[in-house]
Amino acid sequence: MTNKLIILSVAALSLTACKKDAPKQDGAKPYPVIKVEEKNIVGYQTFPASIQGRVNNDVRAKIQGYITQLLVDEGQYVTKGQPLFRLETNILTENAAAAKAGIGAAESTIAAAQAAVNAAQVEVNKLKPLVAKNIISNIQLQTAHANLAQAQAQLQQAIAAKRQATANYKGVEANIEYSIIRAPISGVIGKLPLKVGSLVGPTDQVPLTTISDTSSVFAYFSMNEKEYFDFLEKSEGATMPEKIKNLPMVELQLANGSLYPEKGRVEAITGQIDPTTGTIQFRVAFSNAHKLLSNGNSGTIRLPKAYDNVLVVPESATYEQQGIVYVYKVEKDTAKNVVVKVIERIDNMALLKSGVTKGETIVAAGIGGLKSGTPVKPKPIKMDSLVQSIKPQF
């Protein structure tokens, strides 16, 4: 037993000696670091937008009738004046024939009335010299004048009747023309809700179709009241027209995430806040020569905002505690957290107003378990490669 105790004691002393003689392990871990840079960055404010053709014209019937022909199809491009629909004309044709016959009858009446005027005038002319020579009494001449006046009145009535008959005929002709419904503008045909056999008329609530002139389009988006006043404060110019004129060209992001190839310009801002939504509307014009955009499309307006010579660090280098943002600055291979003021976050980068200066070294990523005062082994990397590597891939 004594020997065993001696052996254990010797072993314990040996282990203790080994621990005392073993070299200390370095606690510093490697961390990627970058130099704080100054860059020119463009950020974007985004707003949902609805797209409409420059002109949207509802097509309606001017007369009542049944559709007998559809001459176009949905999505078809039509030119101004092109026939779109035909309505029945049987009754109209009969009315036109009757109106034309009325003109003929009125002309016959005029001819008869004119003959009566001529005869009455001859009678007056014949009696005048006889009365002058006292061959006959003046009463006969007065009677002849009365007959002439009556014949002239009947002639005027006949002429008026012809004018009315002519107007009736032209009205029927116009209705026959209205039975061919034509495109009021050039553009793209929308939905065709009514088919052949449908009864249509000028008081219908649903239009026959809508034609959209999409040679250029308008994108409408809205700002709330706060965004609007921020916009006014930050836009260059003393008046609203000047502010609009100085705005940069904007981009349109389509529903599938791609960018429309043409940039647009803000043309107008509505003059008042919508009391229902509390927003004010902006109108942006886009060229649409290739007809890629249609009436009713949706998208997102990207309003650019430029930051010149701004301090930039990767977003992965920042962390937040109780609303305060920090980064780890590296000094003498030791990480030290410092408070920074973030202006904006764009494309996985944080744009800073203060807290660090250009050229200072900071920990770029992997700061989850890092504490202020912790030794680090700096591994320099390029910020662009880090930012690009964490961008989402679509």
Side-chain angles (χ1 to χ4, degrees):
M1 179 63 70
T2 303
N3 291 337
K4 288 180 179 179
L5 290 172
I6 293 172
I7 292 170
L8 290 172
S9 299
V10 172
L13 291 171
S14 300
L15 288 171
T16 303
C18 290
K19 286 181 180 180
K20 288 181 179 179
D21 295 339
K24 291 183 179 180
Q25 296 294 326
D26 189 356
K29 294 182 179 180
Y31 282 89
V33 298
I34 56 99
K35 298 284 188 182
V36 177
E37 300 180 20
E38 283 186 350
K39 288 179 176 286
N40 295 329
I41 303 293
V42 177
Y44 294 90
Q45 284 181 285
T46 58
F47 303 93
S50 60
I51 298 168
Q52 297 181 15
R54 179 172 287 272
V55 179
N56 297 300
N57 200 308
D58 288 343
V59 177
R60 299 181 183 274
K62 292 183 177 180
I63 61 172
Q64 191 174 55
Y66 291 95
I67 297 176
T68 59
Q69 282 183 292
L70 282 177
L71 304 175
V72 291
D73 201 357
E74 296 172 342
Q76 180 179 337
Y77 182 83
V78 296
T79 57
K80 182 177 180 180
Q82 180 176 337
L84 308 178
F85 306 87
R86 288 184 187 275
L87 305 182
E88 63 174 354
T89 59
N90 294 339
I91 296 177
L92 293 176
T93 303
E94 293 175 3
N95 291 343
K100 194 170 184 179
I103 294 175
E107 289 175 345
S108 298
T109 303
I110 290 173
Q114 184 65 58
V117 169
N118 295 339
Q121 185 66 56
V122 168
E123 183 68 14
V124 168
N125 294 339
K126 182 179 72 173
L127 295 177
K128 277 183 179 180
L130 297 176
V131 171
K133 294 178 181 180
N134 294 319
I135 297 174
I136 62 174
S137 69
N138 189 44
I139 295 174
Q140 289 180 295
L141 179 59
Q142 290 177 351
T143 302
H145 276 296
N147 291 337
L148 175 60
Q150 184 179 7
Q152 290 173 335
Q154 290 175 345
L155 175 60
Q156 293 304 315
Q157 290 177 354
I159 293 173
K162 181 185 177 182
R163 290 198 191 100
Q164 183 61 51
T166 302
N168 292 341
Y169 179 66
K170 289 182 177 179
V172 175
E173 278 192 322
N175 285 339
I176 292 175
E177 176 62 24
Y178 292 153
S179 70
I180 303 174
I181 301 172
R182 303 178 184 274
I185 61 172
S186 297
V188 179
I189 294 288
K191 186 178 179 181
L192 296 170
L194 301 174
K195 307 303 179 185
V196 171
S198 299
L199 178 64
V200 298
T203 60
D204 293 347
Q205 293 184 349
V206 179
L208 296 173
T209 189
T210 299
I211 299 179
S212 300
D213 177 3
T214 56
S215 55
S216 61
V217 297
F218 291 137
Y220 293 92
F221 71 94
S222 298
M223 288 186 183
N224 61 38
E225 200 166 351
K226 179 184 180 302
E227 292 169 334
Y228 176 61
F229 283 117
D230 288 343
F231 159 78
L232 292 180
E233 290 177 359
K234 296 175 182 177
S235 299
E236 297 180 7
T239 64
M240 182 61 72
E242 289 179 359
K243 291 179 182 293
I244 294 175
K245 183 178 179 180
N246 292 329
L247 285 176
M249 301 290 280
V250 303
E251 295 180 350
L252 175 63
Q253 187 175 31
L254 304 177
N256 65 352
S258 64
L259 289 179
Y260 184 63
E262 301 282 346
K263 291 188 177 182
R265 181 174 293 282
V266 176
E267 285 190 343
I269 303 173
T270 54
Q272 59 184 8
I273 299 290
D274 186 330
T276 304
T277 61
T279 60
I280 192 165
Q281 192 175 67
F282 288 63
R283 188 185 77 205
V284 184
F286 287 92
S287 174
N288 192 34
H290 299 292
K291 302 295 186 293
L292 298 179
L293 299 175
S294 301
N295 189 54
N297 281 151
S298 62
T300 301
I301 289 294
R302 288 161 44 98
L303 189 63
K305 185 178 181 181
Y307 298 89
D308 296 330
N309 299 320
V310 66
L311 296 171
V312 178
V313 300
E315 270 198 293
S316 57
T318 66
Y319 72 98
E320 185 175 341
Q321 285 184 346
Q322 297 180 345
I324 301 175
V325 182
Y326 299 85
V327 299
Y328 282 104
K329 190 187 299 186
V330 178
E331 296 177 347
K332 297 180 180 180
D333 294 343
T334 300
K336 178 184 177 182
N337 65 339
V338 293
V339 178
V340 293
K341 179 68 174 178
V342 177
I343 304 172
E344 184 66 89
R345 296 179 184 271
I346 299 171
D347 294 338
N348 297 315
M349 296 181 292
L351 281 56
L352 305 182
K353 184 177 182 180
S354 62
V356 294
T357 59
K358 180 181 177 181
E360 288 187 318
T361 301
I362 64 168
V363 179
I367 62 176
L370 196 58
K371 295 182 179 180
S372 186
T374 303
V376 296
K377 288 183 178 179
K379 292 179 62 180
I381 62 171
K382 292 184 178 180
M383 184 174 68
D384 289 343
S385 62
L386 174 63
V387 171
Q388 292 293 332
S389 67
I390 59 179
K391 278 189 175 180
Q393 299 296 319
F394 296 99

